[in-house]
Amino acid sequence: MDTQQLALVFPGQGSQKVGMLAELGESFSIVKNTFAEASDALGYDMWDLVQNGEQAQLNLTETTQPVLLTASVAVWRLWGEQGGLRPSLLAGHSLGEFSALVCAGAIEFADAVRLVRSRGQYMQTAVPVGEGAMAAVLGLDDAQIVQICAEAAAGTGVVEAVNFNSPGQVVIAGQVAAVDKAIELLKAAGAKRAMPLPVSAPFHTSLMRPAGEKLALALADITVRQPSIPVVHNVHGKTESDPGAIKALLVEQIYSAVKWVDCVETMVSAGINTTIECGPGKVLSGLNKRINKSLNGLNIESPASLAAALDFIR
């Protein structure tokens, strides 16, 4: 296939699981070597944690973020080592945007691993545990959800639409009472489902601004280069080549909605007909197909899925 038709995409929080990439790690040394690099950067054995740790520990935001970034970079490196086609675009969902920027050569891997651990800490401490909530909403259009969140927020606190994942699938987040009120109103308005998510903070809301301020300070000490492959950014669904602007987008992303539908539509408009998800799970592959039925969606998390992806692009 033509390189112009391929994009690689990188998952965000929620895709982590104990034992992920186990078969790839046993089959290809580059996978374990990538985890060893990350372990050196953070000072603990990340591969051991991923294979033998507790799911509860993997789900801690400050652990989840470096673990998923490392898994994605390991798969990206393996893809290149095995002769995989160089994509014309990269994109990642929330945390996955950092993975994309590492793979595009914009941020050094060790810097990114440390940065996203800090990002996780900043996000977790921006709102005390128990005060924030998130919920997935199915079956209403985006404008309706935004409007109902505004109604629910009046007098109860912050609740906002934060992930536009696919048509008819939006995630809302905010303070517990406001999210509960929004769920009640959304169900009354005919939502097929409005269900709380098992997360520990209201990610991508305006409540995350303090985390954004801390991330900006951390980014000031990190070198960001122009990406060698364009990365589509969550904040506006466009690419950006200026390193200063990329830093600003990474800060803004922490307290802004993830516009994944826009990201995928940008890729399709650029001629992409195939996306390959690098890392555990198939969440993005499923969303991408719902956004545009013509897209081919593959993922790489095992030797079999790697072989299938390599066969597909040849």
Side-chain angles (χ1 to χ4, degrees), residues 111-197:
D111 286 342
V113 169
R114 288 188 288 262
L115 183 67
V116 299
R117 175 175 63 178
S118 298
R119 179 179 182 264
Q121 291 166 341
Y122 303 153
M123 291 167 81
Q124 188 59 70
T125 56
V127 177
V129 173
E131 291 187 16
M134 298 182 78
V137 183
L138 305 180
L140 292 178
D141 68 47
D142 295 355
Q144 222 175 344
I145 294 169
V146 170
Q147 175 62 35
I148 288 170
C149 283
E151 290 171 26
T156 56
V158 173
V159 58
E160 298 160 2
V162 295
N163 291 357
F164 296 95
N165 283 335
S166 69
Q169 184 182 333
V170 174
V171 174
I172 64 170
Q175 291 162 316
V176 172
V179 172
D180 287 346
K181 179 68 174 174
I183 288 173
E184 184 187 313
L185 294 175
L186 289 160
K187 285 180 175 173
K192 287 179 190 166
R193 291 174 85 180
M195 51 196 176
L197 296 172

Side-chain angles (χ1 to χ4, degrees), residues 85-281:
L85 186 67
R86 183 178 173 86
S88 61
L89 286 173
L90 301 173
H93 191 287
S94 187
L95 162 76
E97 191 165 295
F98 288 80
S99 306
L101 287 165
V102 171
C103 298
I107 305 177
E108 291 292 337
F109 178 45
D111 286 342
V113 169
R114 288 188 288 262
L115 183 67
V116 299
R117 175 175 63 178
S118 298
R119 179 179 182 264
Q121 291 166 341
Y122 303 153
M123 291 167 81
Q124 188 59 70
T125 56
V127 177
V129 173
E131 291 187 16
M134 298 182 78
V137 183
L138 305 180
L140 292 178
D141 68 47
D142 295 355
Q144 222 175 344
I145 294 169
V146 170
Q147 175 62 35
I148 288 170
C149 283
E151 290 171 26
T156 56
V158 173
V159 58
E160 298 160 2
V162 295
N163 291 357
F164 296 95
N165 283 335
S166 69
Q169 184 182 333
V170 174
V171 174
I172 64 170
Q175 291 162 316
V176 172
V179 172
D180 287 346
K181 179 68 174 174
I183 288 173
E184 184 187 313
L185 294 175
L186 289 160
K187 285 180 175 173
K192 287 179 190 166
R193 291 174 85 180
M195 51 196 176
L197 296 172
V199 294
S200 49
F203 302 134
H204 297 291
T205 63
S206 54
L207 298 168
M208 289 285 127
R209 280 187 180 272
E213 289 162 12
K214 290 177 181 174
L215 186 67
L217 292 174
L219 273 163
D221 295 329
I222 285 178
T223 300
V224 174
R225 301 180 189 83
Q226 182 175 335
S228 62
I229 301 170
V231 173
V232 184
H233 291 272
N234 292 173
V235 169
H236 54 27
K238 300 171 188 168
T239 60
E240 179 54 69
S241 60
D242 177 68
I246 289 170
K247 284 188 177 186
L249 284 168
L250 290 177
V251 172
E252 194 178 343
Q253 189 228 51
I254 216 169
Y255 54 77
S256 302
V258 174
K259 296 179 179 173
W260 189 250
V261 174
D262 290 355
C263 291
V264 173
E265 287 176 345
T266 292
M267 291 190 277
V268 172
S269 296
I272 299 300
N273 65 18
T274 301
T275 64
I276 298 177
E277 187 169 356
C278 295

